[in-house]
Amino acid sequence: MKLKTKGLPNCIAESIVGRVTFDPFTISDNSILLTDGGLDPFVLQNFEAVLTTAAFKDRIDYPSVYEIPDFNHLTEGDIIVVHSDGIINTVYRVASEHNFLLFTERCNSNCLMCSQPPRDKDDSRLAHLYKRIIPLIPKNCTHLGITGGEPTLLGDLYFELLNLISRELPNTNIHCLTNGRSFAWPHFTKRLDENLLNKLMLAIPLYADNYIMHDYIVQAKGAFNQTLNGLYQLADIGARLEIRIVLHQLSVQRLSKLARFIYKNLPFVDHVAFMGLEYQGYTPHNIEKLWQDPVEYSGYLSEAVLYLFDMGMNVSIYNHQLCVTPQELWPFCQRSISDWKNVYLPVCENCEVRNQCGGFFASSIDFYSENIHPIKTSCEEKIIGD
């Protein structure tokens, strides 16, 4: 899924935020006109900026970007940010239920399999940009993701943005990825507004049942204890919680023990998600430590998932292909986690359960299980919900 394009900027001193329109007669606050034709100065006064495929030589004195290759990835009402260097980022797509806001690229962990390695920079400017973006998001937005880096490192800005979302989008469910470590401190946890808790789900990784392995995977001393303390502090205020477990060579052999640890010590969590490995970020650099074919660890995964399910916990599997997953686990497999990352291989063309399969991350199409194969027998009826 294309989320960025670029052209030649003109009269843009600072980033411009607005909703996409292809209608030159639109009169609406914060609209940005997209056109393939000429620019009428009388029309331009209705828009924050104009983006065009027209040649730069025909430019006029108005905030604009020229010679953009195409607008095929944009839809009427999408929210974009036009930067002074001519880069145009899509930050919200009206046709998708998988929108997210990247609060920060900083992180206090450094996970071996991080798909978006942290960058140590002051990106509070990004947070202030979101203060302009959030009020533009449609009020009928059902789900909105928050990700990073580690969003809680924004401190005051983290709570300001969450509360702004809560006010502007009262009917929107918020799914926030966090390592949970900041919540180990009660004064931090208690800053979560009570009105926010009903629609906020905090997704927190726990990679092992002991501090030695967890801290090694996240490359942060003390992370295991901080994460657990954070989970308990959050449970104490009634926060909704999800545990995330990324499946790789270092984590899979103790999955059964981790499942029992979660049930005995964290029975209050709302959801446990087992996540397939994404071949991106740090993963290619640590692939010798991380990679194990899903077929090889399928027994460990089955034992952990079925145990938690038998104990009455809500369990899901993401980023896993059905052909390398035991059929007894198919009811737990979710078709996709992010619509812009889901792709399939040529070998999947004739698979009878492709429409129910999670497919692959776009980043993983060159590195995957050698056991991938089309399923020829009719098995759709075995998947819950069909």
Side-chain angles (χ1 to χ4, degrees), residues 345-357:
L345 301 175
V347 72
C348 304
E349 286 294 327
N350 297 318
C351 181
E352 293 187 13
V353 295
R354 170 175 164 158
N355 290 339
Q356 288 79 36
C357 182

Side-chain angles (χ1 to χ4, degrees), residues 4-16:
K4 182 167 70 173
T5 189
K6 190 178 190 303
L8 300 178
N10 178 60
C11 298
I12 300 177
E14 59 182 30
S15 297
I16 299 171

Side-chain angles (χ1 to χ4, degrees), residues 101 103 130-131 134 144-147 151-152 154-169 172 174-178 183 188 191-193 195-197 199-202:
L101 303 179
F103 271 16
Y130 284 134
K131 291 183 179 181
I134 291 168
L144 186 64
I146 304 300
T147 186
T152 62
L154 286 176
D156 291 343
L157 280 172
Y158 174 68
F159 295 103
E160 287 180 31
L161 291 175
L162 284 183
N163 290 334
L164 180 61
I165 295 171
S166 181
R167 291 194 305 271
E168 293 287 340
L169 303 166
T172 300
I174 308 165
H175 194 261
C176 179
L177 306 186
T178 169
F183 296 106
F188 190 91
R191 293 188 63 183
L192 287 173
D193 187 87
N195 295 324
L196 182 67
L197 293 178
K199 51 195 171 186
L200 174 66
M201 173 76 82
L202 294 163

Side-chain angles (χ1 to χ4, degrees), residues 125-263:
R125 176 181 171 276
L126 185 62
H128 289 293
L129 200 60
Y130 284 134
K131 291 183 179 181
R132 298 162 56 193
I133 292 168
I134 291 168
L136 300 183
I137 295 175
K139 304 306 180 186
N140 63 354
C141 170
T142 56
H143 297 87
L144 186 64
I146 304 300
T147 186
E150 173 49 43
T152 62
L153 295 184
L154 286 176
D156 291 343
L157 280 172
Y158 174 68
F159 295 103
E160 287 180 31
L161 291 175
L162 284 183
N163 290 334
L164 180 61
I165 295 171
S166 181
R167 291 194 305 271
E168 293 287 340
L169 303 166
N171 299 314
T172 300
N173 290 311
I174 308 165
H175 194 261
C176 179
L177 306 186
T178 169
N179 60 35
R181 294 170 58 188
S182 297
F183 296 106
W185 285 270
H187 73 275
F188 190 91
T189 304
K190 290 176 181 176
R191 293 188 63 183
L192 287 173
D193 187 87
E194 187 175 344
N195 295 324
L196 182 67
L197 293 178
N198 292 329
K199 51 195 171 186
L200 174 66
M201 173 76 82
L202 294 163
I204 298 174
L206 188 65
Y207 297 132
D209 60 309
N210 63 81
Y211 78 92
I212 297 174
M213 182 55 70
H214 178 88
D215 287 4
Y216 175 69
I217 292 172
V218 304
Q219 295 287 287
K221 186 177 181 180
F224 179 80
N225 289 330
Q226 287 180 351
T227 297
L228 284 180
N229 287 336
L231 285 164
Y232 289 130
Q233 295 292 339
L234 288 164
D236 191 51
I237 64 167
R240 298 167 59 218
L241 300 169
E242 173 183 276
I243 297 293
R244 290 195 159 197
I245 305 159
V246 177
L247 300 166
H248 51 71
Q249 187 179 154
L250 296 172
S251 63
V252 293
Q253 295 194 24
R254 296 186 66 89
L255 280 185
S256 178
K257 291 182 173 61
L258 177 55
R260 284 164 171 74
F261 180 90
I262 291 170
Y263 174 67

Side-chain angles (χ1 to χ4, degrees), residues 113 206-207 217 244-256 258 273-278 283 287 289-294 297-298 300-302 304-305 316-320 325 329 333:
M113 65 291 175
L206 188 65
Y207 297 132
I217 292 172
R244 290 195 159 197
I245 305 159
V246 177
L247 300 166
H248 51 71
Q249 187 179 154
L250 296 172
S251 63
V252 293
Q253 295 194 24
R254 296 186 66 89
L255 280 185
S256 178
L258 177 55
F274 293 87
M275 321 290 293
L277 185 66
E278 182 177 6
T283 298
I287 198 64
K289 298 178 182 177
L290 299 172
W291 175 251
Q292 187 169 9
D293 194 297
Y297 63 68
S298 61
Y300 298 124
L301 181 59
S302 290
V305 169
S316 298
I317 302 171
Y318 292 93
N319 313 334
H320 247 248
T325 305
L329 295 185
C333 293

